[in-house]
Amino acid sequence: MFKKIISFLLILTLFSSFLTINSQALYNSSVELNADIVLLASIDDGTVLLAKNNDKRTPPASLTKIVTATLALQHFTDLDQIIEADETSIMEISGTGSSNANIQVGEKMSVRDLLYCLLVHSANEAANILGTQVAGSIADFVKMMNEYVKSIGCKNTHFVNCHGLDDEEQYTTADDMLLITLKALEYPVFKEITSTTKYTVPKTNMSDERYLYTTNWMMNPGHPSYYYEYVSGVKTGTTTRAGRCIVSTASKDGYNYIGIVMGAKNEDSDENEALLECKRIFQWAFENIKLSTVVSSTTTVTVVDVELNWDTDHLRLVPASDLSLLVPTGNDAGSVMVKVLEDQTPKTVSAPIKQGDVLGKAQVLYADEEIATIDLVAAETVTRSPLLWFFNILKNIFSSNIFKLILALVIIFIAAYIFLIFRYKNKKKRRRQNVKTVRINPNTKNRR
């Protein structure tokens, strides 16, 4: 009885401790997000720190070129291969007034230089030239683009061109753009090119040297209001429908983030609000977010009853391992609630149990949002008592449906047997009562 009281008090203490939640507003509530679409995620572990309209379809503008570059890098094994610009690729953007590197029909450039034109200067004709060389035509290349994004898990992305000029049927989301960019960053040359602030395209058969400058002013110290020393890459974009857009990465003190801003104001402003917003969320992350252990493997989450052991009535369940998360500075395990998933965690377990055996699951809630699901394991080893085990087998046998069925059949058989015996005796008695007694004179002889 004493042990049960102590266990009950322990459960109450644990329950009350895990109901303590820090009511401070975190993540989105910590930052005022001005752009229509914002996404900030950790490259290290995939944690999404800030998200606004991240699943909203929107024109991608020149962020489209990230996919174009990725497919080109998949196709070309030799980046020094020389390509001749075709007429269709040049004329397709003629008269649009869009960004270009003034590449001429018949001009010969290496794949590498075309990629620099594409990603650093955001040249639209470079996108068409690369696409045509990869697939044979712009239309076939666009088909490849759509097949590719679908293959990597994008659910709301569709292209009709490979450069990003506005079209009602060309759209993406910040969620999909995150997938697209992370795949592109797997190519070292992509990271190298998009992190370049200035590049010189060598003289060609039709042009002198060209000087390309990054459109991401966060990498350019010459733009002090935008410059942020920890930023590298990736791509900017601007159209009437898309507004100002950017995908960029930033690294500091071992923390690596990717920021996506889309749909920022394009008119009535002399400033690029996409760049300013992206810089601001990076600064917030580096100043306020730290990796902290919010759940310890030594913390008792719940207690379950134990059967088949004389000495142990209850067993502690603890997390399978420490859980570390990116959380705002000053918030640690005291801001976390661990909620046992009752449908996946038994109330009673039977010995033997080894320390570390997975016996249940729990949700980890941070600011009322689920951030992880963890395994709950046995904190101690519990052996099985042989005598209790034997009694338990008997109990299970006697309570089983098969035993109940056999017992019922036996009872029926015995009842039937008794009934038959009784009936047989009863018939025998009646026959005796109906028999007449006949006396025979022993002196009487048979006569013929």
Side-chain angles (χ1 to χ4, degrees):
M1 174 64 79
F2 179 74
K3 287 169 63 179
K4 294 185 181 295
I5 293 174
I6 294 297
S7 299
F8 177 73
L9 292 175
L10 176 61
I11 293 171
L12 284 180
T13 303
L14 291 169
F15 182 75
S16 61
S17 67
F18 284 114
L19 285 179
T20 303
I21 305 176
N22 192 331
S23 60
Q24 177 185 354
L26 305 171
Y27 298 105
N28 281 14
S29 302
S30 301
V31 183
E32 182 180 353
L33 303 174
N34 299 318
D36 184 39
I37 299 168
V38 179
L39 183 64
L40 176 66
S42 167
I43 297 176
D44 304 311
D45 64 6
T47 300
V48 175
L49 288 88
L50 299 172
K52 176 184 177 183
N53 295 330
N54 49 299
D55 58 353
K56 178 181 178 180
R57 287 184 176 181
T58 185
S62 284
L63 303 188
T64 301
K65 295 182 174 76
I66 299 174
V67 178
T68 303
T70 301
L71 292 180
L73 289 170
Q74 288 182 351
H75 178 80
F76 293 105
T77 56
D78 180 10
L79 298 187
D80 294 321
Q81 177 182 335
I82 301 300
I83 290 177
E84 182 176 329
D86 62 286
E87 182 176 3
T88 302
S89 295
I90 304 300
M91 297 305 297
E92 198 264 345
I93 65 162
S94 178
T96 61
S98 60
S99 177
N100 65 84
N102 197 30
I103 300 173
Q104 305 299 309
V105 177
E107 187 168 1
K108 297 179 180 180
M109 298 175 65
S110 69
V111 173
R112 187 184 310 275
D113 291 337
L114 283 167
L115 285 170
Y116 272 98
C117 290
L118 176 77
L119 296 171
V120 175
H121 189 68
S122 200
N124 288 336
E125 80 273 40
N128 285 341
I129 294 167
L130 287 167
T132 300
Q133 289 295 317
V134 170
S137 69
I138 295 173
D140 286 340
F141 185 74
V142 171
K143 183 178 179 181
M144 287 180 60
M145 294 172 69
N146 288 318
E147 291 172 350
Y148 168 73
V149 294
K150 184 177 180 180
S151 72
I152 64 173
C154 295
K155 301 183 184 302
N156 291 288
T157 296
H158 184 261
F159 297 108
V160 296
N161 62 58
C162 55
H163 41 65
L165 291 182
D166 282 338
D167 189 289
E168 290 185 0
E169 296 302 315
Q170 180 132 324
Y171 53 82
T172 189
T173 65
D175 285 339
D176 284 357
M177 212 67 238
L178 177 63
L179 292 175
I180 289 168
T181 306
L182 291 176
K183 294 296 290 185
L185 290 171
E186 293 178 4
Y187 293 89
V189 68
F190 180 88
K191 295 177 67 175
E192 176 186 342
I193 293 173
T194 57
S195 299
T196 300
T197 56
K198 178 182 178 181
Y199 182 74
T200 301
V201 178
K203 181 179 178 180
T204 70
N205 62 321
M206 300 182 71
S207 175
D208 291 332
E209 291 183 341
R210 290 180 176 86
Y211 300 100
L212 309 178
Y213 300 91
T214 181
T215 56
N216 184 356
W217 297 339
M218 287 192 292
M219 296 194 298
N220 191 341
H223 295 272
S225 60
Y226 299 101
Y227 179 65
Y228 193 49
E229 60 183 308
Y230 306 109
V231 163
S232 60
V234 172
K235 191 73 192 73
T236 63
T238 302
T239 66
T240 301
R241 293 183 66 244
R244 297 189 185 272
C245 309
I246 184 169
V247 176
S248 191
T249 62
S251 300
K252 179 185 178 184
D253 298 333
Y255 294 87
N256 303 283
Y257 297 108
I258 181 169
I260 300 173
V261 179
M262 306 175 77
K265 290 182 181 179
N266 187 28
E267 300 175 352
D268 301 326
S269 176
D270 294 330
E271 296 182 325
N272 188 319
E273 294 192 8
L275 298 182
L276 293 175
E277 184 98 309
C278 196
K279 176 182 177 180
R280 192 158 56 88
I281 62 177
F282 281 148
Q283 289 175 322
W284 170 81
F286 289 130
E287 292 171 4
N288 296 282
I289 300 296
K290 296 298 178 185
L291 185 66
S292 301
T293 299
V294 295
V295 175
S296 171
S297 60
T298 61
T299 302
T300 301
V301 175
T302 189
V303 175
V304 296
D305 294 335
V306 174
E307 294 182 343
L308 307 185
N309 184 282
W310 287 115
D311 303 317
T312 304
D313 293 330
H314 298 91
L315 175 67
R316 296 183 302 116
L317 300 189
V318 298
S321 60
D322 290 347
L323 177 63
S324 296
L325 297 172
L326 292 167
V327 294
T329 306
N331 294 276
D332 48 25
S335 306
V336 170
M337 181 178 76
V338 180
K339 181 181 179 181
V340 176
L341 294 174
E342 295 184 359
D343 60 334
Q344 299 183 54
T345 305
K347 297 183 181 299
T348 303
V349 294
S350 297
I353 301 161
K354 292 182 180 179
Q355 184 179 20
D357 283 352
V358 177
L359 299 177
K361 289 187 177 296
Q363 287 178 313
V364 181
L365 304 176
Y366 193 80
D368 289 327
E369 295 292 334
E370 180 183 346
I371 51 178
T373 299
I374 59 173
D375 288 331
L376 299 179
V377 301
E380 302 90 20
T381 294
V382 181
T383 59
R384 181 170 59 194
S385 301
L387 186 58
L388 288 178
W389 175 67
F390 175 73
F391 287 150
N392 187 65
I393 290 177
L394 293 179
K395 175 185 174 183
N396 290 336
I397 291 174
F398 293 152
S399 62
S400 68
N401 291 330
I402 293 177
F403 177 80
K404 292 176 181 178
L405 177 61
I406 293 173
L407 181 62
L409 292 174
V410 169
I411 292 173
I412 292 171
F413 175 79
I414 293 173
Y417 178 78
I418 293 172
F419 172 77
L420 292 173
I421 293 297
F422 176 80
R423 185 178 180 186
Y424 172 75
K425 289 183 176 182
N426 195 40
K427 284 183 176 181
K428 189 175 181 181
K429 182 178 180 180
R430 285 200 301 270
R431 282 200 302 270
R432 287 177 177 176
Q433 290 176 347
N434 294 330
V435 173
K436 294 181 177 180
T437 303
V438 179
R439 284 188 176 185
I440 301 176
N441 190 341
N443 297 319
T444 304
K445 295 183 179 179
N446 292 329
R447 297 177 180 180
R448 292 183 179 178

